[in-house]
Amino acid sequence: MFKSIIAGIGMYVPENIVTNNHLTKYMDTSDEWIQERTGIKERRYAHRTNETTTTMAVEASKIAIERAGITAQDIDFIVFATLSPDYYFPGCGVLLQRAMKMKEIGALDVRNQCSGFVYALSVADQFIKTGMYKNILVVGAEKHSFGLDFSTRGRNVSVIFGDGAGAVVLQPTEDNNRGILSTHLHSDGESAEILAMYNPGTHANHWANKNYASFNDGEIADMFMSHAMIDNAQNFPYMDGPSVFKKAIVKFPEVILEALKKNNYTPENISMLIPHQANLRIAQFVQQKLGLKDEQVYNNIQYYGNTTAASVPIALCEAWEKGKIKQGDLVCLAAFGSGFTWASALLKW
Ligand code: ACO
């Protein structure tokens, strides 16, 4: 059995910096409120027409592929995590395959929101361990700025999110002292609607009391996305922030400790924890709960906001580029998000 190593890593964020003060032009909010509750100072928004989730993923992937010392032609599988795909379907994996002129390899999309990248990494790890693939491109990318409610009505959600992409190339190694040691995946669908975007979807709760047989063609066409849904802002994400906070601060430490225990480590052995950049207050709570020093945790939500599936690879890449992660280091990736789903991965860099 092989182990998987991150052979190359890359990130991309759009040039356009949007400060908290900038957002006050659109909604009733303030720099002070946003920084105090989330730690965020600014975020990046993609170019309206020239940048998509896939084009940002391409930029991050090019860097990861080059750093792995291979070409796009060598990639033999793609796992792409996003909640903001270019199209409702097909997924971004095939768009990335096309844009990078790769061979007719498999492309899998993962829809696990904030924990998407760690889930994607875990899926790729299984393929590498069994010897099925040799160069897997694992991507997390988001263009949130196209799907947020920038009026005061949507301010509890819209101020949090930013755009960007991160990618890694996973390869097999026979070196037992390196690579992914274990991954841990969890879900609890009880609270699925607490952090969700309901539409477009097939739940059709708003039609539940209607007689299906009486629909005319127009009504049937309306079921997926109606004018009324848009008028009532039901096409934007919904979040019960305090409930998410309460669950996150329990599950984050739990899944990190699970990974450490599985490999006979304790929190003090962690060289670098890369938590999903949900909210700086959540990351600080986790750090305190595990008794970690500042230099054991990397946060960059202050500058990019919450980039959901992209946040872990972006933070990992930036920490590595700054020389904060070196060969032999014990690195823990952890994420919690919509679903709820949560996950961790422990690796020797
Ligand atoms: N600017 C100014 N005021 C605001 C804003 C804003 N952007 N957003 C909400 N408010 C107001 C509300 O209207 C409310 O006013 P009221 O008391 O007059 O009714 C007040 O602030 C408090 O609202 P809450 O929603 O209770 O705000 P809370 O103090 O919980 O902070 C936050 C909101 C930051 C989202 C918090 O709940 C939180 O950190 N939740 C964790 C969830 C999270 O971080 N999610 C990130 C995405 S999901 C993920 O990645 C896991």
Side-chain angles (χ1 to χ4, degrees):
M1 196 88 121
F2 299 101
K3 283 178 69 202
S4 314
I5 49 159
I6 294 180
I9 183 163
M11 62 174 272
Y12 173 83
V13 288
E15 270 178 26
N16 181 24
I17 297 173
V18 178
T19 63
N20 294 339
N21 278 331
H22 193 117
L23 292 178
T24 63
K25 288 187 196 164
Y26 305 95
M27 63 187 83
D28 181 12
T29 189
S30 66
D31 179 43
E32 195 189 0
W33 193 98
I34 300 171
Q35 285 211 47
E36 190 186 309
R37 308 288 174 115
T38 70
I40 299 166
K41 296 173 195 284
E42 59 193 40
R43 74 285 293 139
R44 305 292 181 97
Y45 284 171
H47 189 279
R48 278 206 158 275
T49 51
N50 295 344
E51 286 183 315
T52 68
T53 297
T54 301
T55 68
M56 290 189 284
V58 167
E59 295 308 317
S61 299
K62 278 184 194 164
I63 299 168
I65 288 170
E66 196 191 327
R67 284 176 173 164
I70 59 170
T71 70
Q73 282 292 307
D74 298 315
I75 296 294
D76 45 21
F77 196 65
I78 297 168
V79 194
F80 198 127
T82 184
L83 68 69
S84 49
D86 297 21
Y87 304 130
Y88 188 79
F89 72 83
C92 282
V94 297
L95 303 180
L96 185 68
Q97 181 270 343
R98 178 178 68 184
M100 299 197 72
K101 299 185 172 46
M102 290 170 177
K103 292 179 289 195
E104 292 177 353
I105 53 170
L108 173 71
D109 277 55
V110 168
R111 293 198 44 177
N112 273 61
Q113 296 66 250
C114 302
S115 66
F117 181 81
V118 185
Y119 262 76
L121 194 73
S122 178
V123 170
D125 182 38
Q126 312 313 312
F127 284 128
I128 294 282
K129 283 199 291 206
T130 56
M132 184 154 171
Y133 296 121
K134 303 263 176 289
N135 290 297
I136 304 184
L137 184 61
V138 186
V139 184
E142 305 285 1
K143 183 176 175 179
H144 284 306
S145 57
F146 242 42
L148 297 171
D149 181 355
F150 287 106
S151 72
T152 296
R153 182 182 52 197
R155 65 184 175 173
N156 71 318
V157 174
S158 53
V159 299
I160 294 175
F161 294 97
D163 301 340
V168 301
V169 173
L170 225 55
Q171 288 180 348
T173 179
E174 287 179 20
D175 181 351
N176 247 341
N177 296 316
R178 290 187 68 197
I180 296 177
L181 305 177
S182 63
T183 58
H184 306 267
L185 312 178
H186 296 281
S187 71
D188 174 6
E190 267 311 305
S191 309
E193 284 77 17
I194 274 181
L195 177 53
M197 191 167 121
Y198 308 131
N199 301 301
T202 56
H203 60 94
N205 289 342
H206 50 293
W207 291 102
N209 299 324
K210 283 217 173 189
N211 177 357
Y212 209 92
S214 73
F215 288 165
N216 63 35
D217 284 347
E219 282 175 321
I220 287 173
D222 266 351
M223 286 178 71
F224 198 56
M225 178 58 90
S226 69
H227 291 289
M229 282 181 198
I230 293 170
D231 292 343
N232 296 327
Q234 289 167 348
N235 55 321
F236 292 118
Y238 168 79
M239 179 176 73
D240 170 355
S243 299
V244 174
F245 196 99
K246 279 183 209 143
K247 188 87 173 182
I249 58 171
V250 173
K251 293 302 173 188
F252 254 116
E254 212 174 270
V255 80
I256 293 166
L257 289 172
E258 183 184 353
L260 291 171
K261 190 170 172 208
K262 166 88 181 163
N263 297 285
N264 298 317
Y265 288 116
T266 58
E268 68 224 35
N269 299 125
I270 295 179
S271 312
M272 187 58 78
L273 170 67
I274 308 283
H276 159 54
Q277 300 293 290
N279 180 321
L280 192 59
R281 306 298 159 233
I282 293 177
Q284 286 168 337
F285 192 96
V286 173
Q287 176 178 342
Q288 195 191 17
K289 187 100 186 266
L290 296 175
L292 298 174
K293 300 186 188 112
D294 285 351
E295 57 269 26
Q296 286 178 284
V297 186
Y298 191 76
N299 290 303
N300 60 7
I301 190 170
Q302 300 92 323
Y303 306 104
Y304 304 127
N306 178 335
T307 56
T308 309
S311 94
V312 167
I314 287 176
L316 182 65
C317 183
E318 206 175 72
W320 175 76
E321 285 177 354
K322 287 184 175 174
K324 291 177 185 290
I325 296 175
K326 299 190 182 66
Q327 194 162 332
D329 278 358
L330 187 68
V331 178
C332 185
L333 315 179
F336 173 89
S338 160
F340 293 124
T341 62
W342 59 101
S344 63
L346 196 66
L347 50 119
K348 269 277 172 94
W349 195 262

